[in-house]
């Protein structure tokens, strides 16, 4: 495994994870090679007219990693550091995430190398529409369905949906998810990731022997996923939120914070920092806070070999993608900490994206409580499946989730056979 201070090629990590699971379940070299290669990759270089009349050429990728289980699904990110290997890794991880929650999708991911902070709204719109038209031959409701990711949002999805619809000559809402509700978005999508995370924590706590009612919770990253998870644990399960943070710093209050009041303070001031009655803390202190449940909901590579033995929580629920390094996983497992891995703990988002797509292609929309009930069923079943594999094989939950996911992809591949 790479050391935490060395640069990590995410695709090498993704392939190493496949090898670990393939060894564990005894996969032959042929199927292993299939799993270690992206099925389809498209790189496009395309010009965009800038506001000052000049042209700039941007590079974008779309990788469809594996489609054995259905059309591929995955977000599009706009970031200066996007690379093809990063997009490949993210597409592989989407394949496993969709398989863990057993929704009928393969995995994909897209990215455009750009810095949206230095582009105007109109430039981002033109870039999005041109990128969408460049990848149009390989996306579609039956083929590959993009969604928002880093620095893309519901407006970006509305532009992609419109561009694709213009090329087709009719409206195709099911080509993307994460759309505004007025264009065929789903009720409940906005809070689905945090809600799914709260359900999985509830289920895991029963196996850990922890009562969520009264349990203390620390949240690193009080954004969309983190604040929703905190609010729901507080409102619906009676948990005590003792520490939260954002990019500006953290706050701690051992007798409990009202997360709604913290959210209002963050909306007013731009940060959780300075919340009346709470002590300031660094992000490191939030991770190591005295709490029963820790929710990393901000960035990758937060729990490392250096701090894993200082984590006090009994449950670590990864709302963020990739917050725990592999060597830290082993330390936490050996210390008896239950880690709910990202492919399970934040899969509520892609699950409700799947519901959005299902509603779009039926042309029939569900009420919020129906969306939430279906999400709850999916998360409960997925947690139970992962827990069963972990118990049977005596491995930690991340390995168990990968075993479950990769086995499902392998089963689909074997049943379909190798063409011709
Ligand atoms: P967001 O931008 O709404 O929230 C991120 C939060 O993290 C913000 O409050 C930000 O201030 C904070 N943050 C940034 N740097 C930090 C730092 N160094 N220390 C502490 N906090 C810091 O984003 P989000 O949608 O909530 O996504 C958060 C994580 O969840 C990401 O890893 C994302 O990939 C993952 N995720 C989100 C969804 C979703 O549907 N929103 C789905 C799956 C996974």
């Amino acid at each position: 495994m790479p050391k935490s201070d060395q640069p990590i090629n995410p695709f090498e990590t993704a392939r190493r994870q496949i090898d670990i699971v393939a060894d564990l379940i005894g996969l032959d070299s042929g199927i292993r090679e299939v799993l270690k290669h992206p099925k389809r990759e498209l790189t496009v270089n395309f010009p965009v007219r800038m506001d000052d009349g000049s042209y700039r050429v941007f590079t974008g990728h779309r990788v469809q990693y594996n489609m054995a289980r259905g059309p591929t699904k995955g977000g599009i990110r706009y970031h200066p550091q996007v690379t093809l290997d990063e997009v490949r890794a993210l597409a592989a991880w989407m394949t496993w995430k969709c398989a863990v929650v057993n929704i009928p999708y393969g995995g994909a991911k897209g990215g455009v190398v750009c810095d949206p902070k230095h582009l105007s709204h109109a430039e981002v719109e033109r870039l999005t529409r041109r990128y969408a038209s460049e990848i149009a031959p390989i996306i579609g409701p039956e083929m590959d369905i993009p969604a928002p990711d880093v620095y893309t949002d519901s407006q970006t999805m509305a532009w992609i949906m419109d561009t694709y619809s213009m090329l087709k000559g009719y409206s195709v809402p099911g080509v993307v998810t994460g759309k505004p509700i007025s264009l065929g978005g789903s009720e409940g999508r906005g809070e689905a990731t945090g809600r799914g995370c709260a359900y999985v924590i509830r289920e895991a706590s029963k196996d850990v022997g922890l009562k969520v009612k009264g349990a203390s919770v620390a949240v690193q990253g009080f954004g969309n996923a983190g604040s929703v998870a905190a609010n729901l644990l507080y409102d619906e399960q009676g948990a005590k939120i003792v520490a939260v943070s954002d990019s500006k710093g953290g706050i701690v209050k051992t007798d409990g914070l009202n997360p709604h009041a913290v959210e209002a303070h963050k909306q007013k001031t731009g940060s959780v920092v300075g919340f009346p009655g709470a002590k300031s803390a660094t992000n490191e202190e939030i991770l190591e806070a005295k709490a029963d449940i820790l929710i990393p909901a901000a960035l990758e590579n937060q729990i490392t070999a250096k701090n894993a033995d200082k984590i006090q929580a009994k449950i670590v629920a990864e709302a963020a993608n990739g917050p725990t390094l592999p060597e830290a996983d082993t330390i936490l497992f050996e210390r008896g900490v239950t880690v709910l891995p990202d492919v399970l703990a934040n899969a509520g988002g892609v699950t409700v994206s799947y519901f959005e797509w299902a509603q779009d292609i039926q042309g029939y929309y569900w009420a919020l409580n129906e969306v939430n009930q279906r999400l709850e069923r999916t998360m409960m079943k997925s947690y139970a499946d992962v827990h069963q594999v972990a118990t049977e094989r005596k491995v930690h939950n991340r390995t168990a989730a990968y075993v479950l996911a990769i086995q499902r992809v392998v089963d689909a591949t074997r049943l379909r056979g190798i063409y011709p």
Side-chain angles (χ1 to χ4, degrees), residues 177-208:
T177 61
K179 296 180 295 297
I181 295 216
S182 55
L183 288 179
S186 179
E187 295 287 349
R189 174 63 187 89
E191 64 168 30
T193 302
R195 180 171 282 279
C197 186
Y199 289 143
V200 175
I201 290 171
R202 184 189 69 196
E203 294 309 298
S205 63
K206 295 177 193 162
D207 291 319
V208 170

Side-chain angles (χ1 to χ4, degrees), residues 344-417:
L344 172 68
N346 71 30
V350 74
T351 300
V352 176
S353 276
Y354 161 57
F355 296 162
E356 176 176 336
W357 171 83
Q359 292 170 78
D360 288 336
I361 58 181
Q362 291 177 89
Y364 179 74
Y365 291 89
W366 312 342
L368 177 60
N369 66 349
E370 193 171 350
V371 171
N372 287 345
Q373 279 165 14
R374 288 176 191 263
L375 172 64
E376 183 175 11
R377 281 205 297 272
T378 303
M379 299 313 293
M380 286 174 69
K381 173 82 172 81
S382 307
Y383 170 76
D385 289 349
V386 170
H387 182 64
Q388 188 183 348
V389 175
T391 311
E392 280 170 8
R393 291 187 174 266
K394 299 188 176 48
V395 292
H396 57 63
N397 286 327
R398 191 181 320 279
T399 302
Y402 273 74
V403 165
L404 185 70
I406 288 179
Q407 192 63 61
R408 283 177 176 159
V409 175
V410 167
D411 289 348
T413 307
R414 289 225 167 95
L415 283 166
R416 288 177 64 155

Side-chain angles (χ1 to χ4, degrees), residues 189 193 221-225 245-247 266 283 297-299 319-321 346:
R189 174 63 187 89
T193 302
F222 201 66
N224 176 322
S245 68
D246 58 31
S247 59
K266 183 171 161 72
N283 261 300
L299 307 167
N321 281 314
N346 71 30

Side-chain angles (χ1 to χ4, degrees), residues 3 17 53 56 75-76 136 152 156 163 174 196 231 246 262 318 341-343 351 364 383 413 417:
K3 291 277 177 291
Q17 289 165 338
R56 265 180 63 192
I76 291 174
T152 57
T156 324
T163 303
N231 287 341
D246 58 31
V262 176
E318 296 181 342
D342 48 9
V343 285
T351 300
Y364 179 74
Y383 170 76
T413 307

